[in-house]
Amino acid sequence: MQCLTTWRIRRRPRRIEFFQGTLARTGEIDGVRIFDTTLRDGEQSPRTSFSYDEKRDIAEVLDDMGTHVIEAGFPVNSDAEFEAVRDISNATDTTVCGLARVVDKDVEAAIDSGVELVHVFVSTSDVQLQDSMHASREEAVERAVSCVERVKEAGVECMFSPMDATRTDDDFLVEMVESVSEAGTDWINIPDTCGVATPTRFMDLVRMVRENTDARVDVHAHDDFGLATANAIAGFEAGAAQAQVSVNGIGERAGNAAFEEVVMASEALYDVDTGIDTTRITELSRMVEEYSDIPNPPNKPVVGRNAFSHESGIHAAGVIENSDTFEPGVMTPEMVGATREFVLGKHTGTHSVRKRLEEIGYAPTDSEVRAVTRLVKDYGADKERVTMADLRRFAREENVTREEEVRA
């Protein structure tokens, strides 16, 4: 805790006020806690399975970065899963969470694994109660209360999730929230299990839950309509204290709110200090990409390989002059451990070509830059990828002056 506090004190304040428009003010969010579920919901991505060592590697980086909670898995699932959750709990400094259905053996396995937080869940929407759980509303409440009480009797922090909350009758959702709150749950998680929430409706739901519990509120958004990160942020604006995320947004179906997106939106757009070391975000993303075998699309926000890349002549020229012209400004590649790249291709302008030639030891004249740029554009127009080897070849073809020749 002391190290984290010191890091926050030394942090350089941002200059968000420099920008006009939507960045002219901040203050909508008081604080942000990050609950990472990469090792649980993320691993539930179809055709994804982390080995014991891979789980440990990911957990170590999440822990080092300052992630507030790591949901390490579903302890009752298997002996290997139980051991992985137990070992991660023993090896990390952060709060480690284990998942449990409202089933006695699940809860006991989670408690026995040594986690600091047990996450208990039960379906609350009628469609899931009837066609998945095959239980009544009354049975769901009874099981939920019993399991929350058992977790608290064991002296462990408890989180309760009314699964499919966004498709649950409001009155029954309030009944469930009030019942588990009376049973002593520390957290209420509001899951948008099927990704149907919109930011405004989700804010209303979060506010409704907060009005009916003294527990802290957490949100879990799925990305079926591409709204997961927006809904997580809407949850914070409505007063939620924490959001559940996964690295690269992996998870069931279309995935979850992405760790990197929620963290950087909070840090850069809302000026909230999450306490997370953002400079390791790209490293973490690449690790999860490799272990999950789910490739990031190049245009993935924050961590995609195009996130800080420029090809268009107008954009590249502006960024070379001042990166704030065509990048957010409040989020730089250095902040997330990435690098800026000027890509050569059909849309490349002379500024990019000159910069790349100079980087590899040339001192081109204006006419030489124009000549090489024509070759780059023609080559790129045929949908060919222009590599640095190609650029060197074009430079030789046009007899571009090398820097040492100028010095001589």
Side-chain angles (χ1 to χ4, degrees):
M1 181 63 71
Q2 183 61 43
C3 291
L4 181 59
T5 303
T6 302
W7 181 78
R8 285 179 174 174
I9 290 172
R10 292 177 180 174
R11 180 170 174 165
R12 185 176 301 172
R14 296 187 191 82
R15 295 171 53 214
I16 289 181
E17 65 274 12
F18 171 80
F19 295 93
Q20 303 303 310
T22 61
L23 289 176
R25 66 179 179 86
T26 57
E28 302 95 330
I29 297 174
D30 293 329
V32 166
R33 285 174 53 91
I34 298 297
F35 177 117
D36 182 84
T37 186
T38 304
L39 301 179
R40 199 278 298 171
D41 196 326
E43 192 182 27
Q44 290 175 205
S45 300
R47 294 172 291 279
T48 294
S49 177
F50 297 127
S51 71
Y52 171 86
D53 288 339
E54 289 169 344
K55 279 203 167 196
R56 290 291 299 270
D57 288 347
I58 294 169
E60 181 179 3
V61 176
L62 286 168
D63 185 31
D64 289 345
M65 290 174 68
T67 307
H68 302 92
V69 181
I70 298 173
E71 189 167 45
F74 194 7
V76 80
N77 189 50
S78 67
D79 290 342
E81 183 83 347
F82 179 91
E83 291 175 7
V85 173
R86 181 192 61 194
D87 292 350
I88 289 170
S89 182
N90 289 335
T92 54
D93 293 326
T94 192
T95 297
V96 173
C97 176
L99 185 69
R101 297 167 297 182
V102 286
V103 176
D104 290 343
K105 66 176 183 178
D106 286 34
V107 173
E108 295 304 325
I111 293 170
D112 291 344
S113 71
V115 296
E116 296 90 352
L117 174 65
V118 174
H119 180 189
V120 178
F121 72 97
V122 67
S123 295
T124 52
S125 67
D126 288 335
V127 64
Q128 288 195 359
L129 283 171
Q130 294 167 10
D131 298 325
S132 179
M133 277 195 65
H134 305 290
S136 67
R137 289 182 175 183
E138 292 75 17
E139 289 170 326
V141 172
E142 181 181 347
R143 293 185 199 177
V145 168
S146 175
C147 289
V148 169
E149 289 177 343
R150 174 66 189 109
V151 174
K152 296 307 297 178
E153 286 171 5
V156 180
E157 192 173 9
C158 184
M159 172 180 284
F160 174 77
S161 289
M163 187 161 68
D164 209 14
T166 52
R167 299 194 301 174
T168 296
D169 173 76
D170 283 355
D171 290 339
F172 179 55
L173 182 60
V174 169
E175 178 187 347
M176 178 65 83
V177 166
E178 290 179 340
S179 297
V180 295
S181 297
E182 290 175 7
T185 191
D186 302 283
W187 289 90
I188 298 286
N189 171 49
I190 308 174
D192 182 24
T193 304
C194 293
V196 297
T198 63
T200 300
R201 296 174 195 164
F202 200 54
M203 289 178 73
D204 290 342
L205 185 61
V206 172
R207 291 188 180 114
M208 182 185 75
V209 170
R210 291 187 65 221
E211 289 171 359
N212 291 279
T213 184
D214 292 327
R216 288 184 288 179
V217 173
D218 171 275
V219 295
H220 180 117
H222 275 270
D223 209 31
D224 297 73
F225 289 89
L227 294 173
T229 295
N231 284 329
I233 295 296
F236 284 130
E237 288 201 17
Q242 182 170 272
Q244 299 191 8
V245 299
S246 65
V247 179
N248 300 338
I250 65 172
E252 293 276 5
R253 304 183 314 280
N256 296 279
F259 178 104
E260 60 280 0
E261 295 173 18
V262 173
V263 169
M264 291 313 301
S266 301
E267 292 261 348
L269 299 180
Y270 289 85
D271 201 21
V272 173
D273 185 352
T274 64
I276 288 175
D277 180 1
T278 65
T279 64
R280 299 189 69 182
I281 280 179
T282 299
E283 171 195 348
L284 175 65
S285 171
R286 300 291 184 264
M287 174 184 288
V288 172
E289 184 178 26
E290 177 186 351
Y291 290 170
S292 67
D293 200 28
I294 300 176
N296 281 331
N299 63 334
K300 177 79 171 63
V302 184
V303 294
R305 285 160 176 78
N306 285 356
F308 299 99
S309 295
H310 307 274
E311 179 180 330
S312 164
I314 294 173
H315 283 233
V319 170
I320 289 170
E321 182 72 22
N322 177 359
S323 62
D324 289 351
T325 54
F326 288 101
E327 288 181 4
V330 288
M331 179 176 69
T332 66
E334 294 79 14
M335 287 173 67
V336 298
T339 55
R340 183 177 294 109
E341 182 181 4
F342 295 95
V343 179
L344 301 176
K346 174 182 178 180
H347 306 288
T348 296
T350 55
H351 289 80
S352 286
V353 170
R354 180 184 296 278
K355 180 176 179 61
R356 299 310 293 270
L357 285 171
E358 290 173 348
E359 288 174 352
I360 59 175
Y362 288 92
T365 63
D366 291 346
S367 61
E368 289 171 343
V369 169
R370 288 193 295 271
V372 173
T373 300
R374 282 194 298 272
L375 293 175
V376 168
K377 285 178 172 290
D378 291 344
Y379 196 69
D382 291 331
K383 296 189 177 181
E384 296 288 346
R385 179 171 176 267
V386 182
T387 66
M388 294 308 291
D390 294 322
L391 185 64
R392 289 187 177 90
R393 176 165 55 86
F394 298 152
R396 289 195 299 271
E397 290 176 9
E398 296 298 329
N399 296 313
V400 178
T401 305
R402 295 196 64 86
E403 189 173 350
E404 59 264 25
E405 295 172 356
V406 174
R407 290 198 301 268

